[in-house]
């Protein structure tokens, strides 16, 4: 085989790994990448790591095979640039009614190139919704905490993700979560704010209401502090 034949055979990119996130119709992630999801999933989005040696748009096809053998396919145009082991999100497939991933068992996702050759395959385990309550409970935390600074009237001084705060008044915190409950639930959290330098801890409880199966939602904890801006000494607070 000559060098020219080798270049013709090489598709110009490789996909090293394939996992899956559940997302809403806007494509925002409800879960972290995983090879296991549940029968109430809305849309499943393939998440890959890939290396490209080309600078052009290629057509990629996704083939989904249910445990029964029934298949679904969709394709899309992927604009590639030379890059090494880049994380990429492919278009998602499913339904807002949560009625596409109702078959329990092993589903298979195949990623195909322009010639319908398989680039990578991976199994996706679809489990009954009840299983997640046994393994993870009915609430799943999706993101780390974000913080903002407000005054006593709730007016924003420094918005979410500001980073560093100077003499904050009331620090609020939030994170994203997915609620797998089948009913509206109220849950009370115990919060501890620790001054890492002195070891002093301020503790309080906060009750929130979570809606059932509502995809990814914000779990917000009320703020703690004072109007004087002296509740938080300079330094790190956990």
């Amino acid at each position: 085989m000559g060098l020219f034949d080798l270049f013709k055979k090489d598709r110009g990119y490789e996909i090293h790994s394939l996992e899956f996130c559940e997302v809403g119709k806007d494509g925002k992630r409800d879960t972290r990448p995983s090879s296991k999801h549940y029968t109430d999933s809305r849309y499943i989005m393939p998440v890959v790591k890939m290396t490209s040696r080309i600078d052009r748009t290629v057509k990629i096809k996704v083939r989904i095979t249910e445990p029964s053998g029934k298949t679904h396919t969709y394709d899309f145009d992927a604009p590639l640039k030379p890059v090494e082991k880049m994380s990429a999100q492919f278009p998602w497939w499913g339904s807002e009614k949560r009625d596409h991933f109702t078959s329990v068992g092993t589903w298979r996702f195949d990623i195909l190139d322009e010639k319908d050759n398989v680039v990578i395959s991976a199994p996706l385990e679809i489990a009954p919704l009840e299983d997640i309550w046994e393994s993870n409970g009915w609430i799943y935390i999706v993101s780390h905490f974000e913080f903002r600074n407000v005054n006593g009237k709730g007016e924003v001084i420094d918005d979410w993700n500001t980073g560093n705060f100077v003499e904050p008044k009331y620090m609020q915190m939030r994170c994203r979560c997915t609620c797998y409950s089948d009913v509206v639930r109220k849950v009370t959290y115990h919060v501890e704010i620790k001054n890492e330098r002195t070891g002093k801890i301020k503790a309080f409880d906060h009750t929130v209401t979570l809606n059932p199966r509502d995809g990814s939602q914000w779990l917000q904890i009320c703020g703690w502090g004072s109007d004087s801006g002296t509740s938080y000494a300079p330094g790190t607070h956990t």
Side-chain angles (χ1 to χ4, degrees):
M1 180 184 293
L3 185 60
F4 180 70
D5 294 321
L6 180 64
F7 281 136
K8 283 199 302 181
K9 184 178 179 181
D10 183 9
R11 64 176 62 93
Y13 64 90
E14 301 172 63
I15 299 179
H16 310 290
S17 66
L18 171 59
E19 289 186 292
F20 311 95
C21 289
E22 184 190 348
V23 299
K25 61 183 177 182
D26 55 2
K28 291 184 179 178
R29 297 185 183 190
D30 288 339
T31 64
R32 296 186 180 98
S34 171
S35 59
K36 182 178 181 180
H37 289 283
Y38 297 89
T39 49
D40 75 329
S41 296
R42 293 185 294 174
Y43 301 90
I44 294 295
M45 177 177 70
V47 180
V48 303
K49 282 197 174 176
M50 62 189 302
T51 293
S52 170
R53 297 176 295 280
I54 56 178
D55 188 356
R56 64 182 176 88
T57 297
V58 300
K59 191 170 287 294
I60 293 177
K61 180 186 291 184
V62 178
R63 180 173 63 207
I64 305 168
T65 305
E66 298 188 23
S68 66
K70 182 179 180 180
T71 61
H72 313 271
T73 61
Y74 62 92
D75 56 43
F76 60 96
D77 293 327
L80 299 184
K81 299 283 185 182
V83 69
E84 184 76 21
K85 291 188 177 178
M86 170 192 71
S87 293
Q89 301 178 169
F90 287 176
W92 45 96
W93 181 85
S95 155
E96 198 67 21
K97 296 179 180 178
R98 304 178 186 270
D99 59 1
H100 276 44
F101 292 94
T102 55
S103 297
V104 173
T106 302
W107 295 55
R108 178 160 292 277
F109 278 65
D110 300 311
I111 308 298
L112 311 174
D113 64 14
E114 293 171 302
K115 297 180 180 179
D116 281 347
N117 296 316
V118 176
V119 181
I120 192 171
S121 296
L124 170 65
E125 190 69 24
I126 296 294
L129 180 64
E130 293 78 9
D131 284 6
I132 198 169
W133 299 341
E134 297 177 9
S135 59
N136 293 341
W138 52 265
I139 180 174
Y140 183 64
I141 304 301
V142 178
S143 71
H144 297 295
F145 268 128
E146 296 180 359
F147 302 92
R148 76 173 173 183
N149 174 27
V150 301
N151 63 22
K153 297 179 181 179
E155 297 167 338
V156 176
I157 301 172
D158 301 299
D159 212 345
W160 301 111
N161 280 333
T162 299
N164 296 319
F165 302 91
V166 179
E167 296 183 352
K169 294 190 175 180
Y170 296 89
M171 294 299 299
Q172 293 181 327
M173 59 205 84
R174 71 176 184 178
C175 61
R176 292 197 75 87
C177 70
T178 298
C179 178
Y180 294 104
S181 174
D182 52 0
V183 296
V184 173
R185 292 180 185 251
K186 287 191 175 183
V187 59
T188 299
Y189 284 92
H190 180 69
V191 182
E192 294 186 352
I193 303 172
K194 180 181 179 181
N195 183 322
E196 290 295 341
R197 183 178 60 82
T198 64
K200 258 181 103 173
I201 293 176
K202 170 61 183 176
F204 59 92
D205 292 337
H206 180 67
T207 300
V208 295
T209 299
L210 297 177
N211 295 318
R213 302 189 191 182
D214 196 24
S216 179
Q217 55 189 291
W218 286 110
L219 170 62
Q220 186 168 327
I221 309 295
C222 68
W224 176 82
S226 65
D227 283 323
S228 66
T230 58
S231 295
Y232 296 90
T236 299
H237 297 257
T238 301

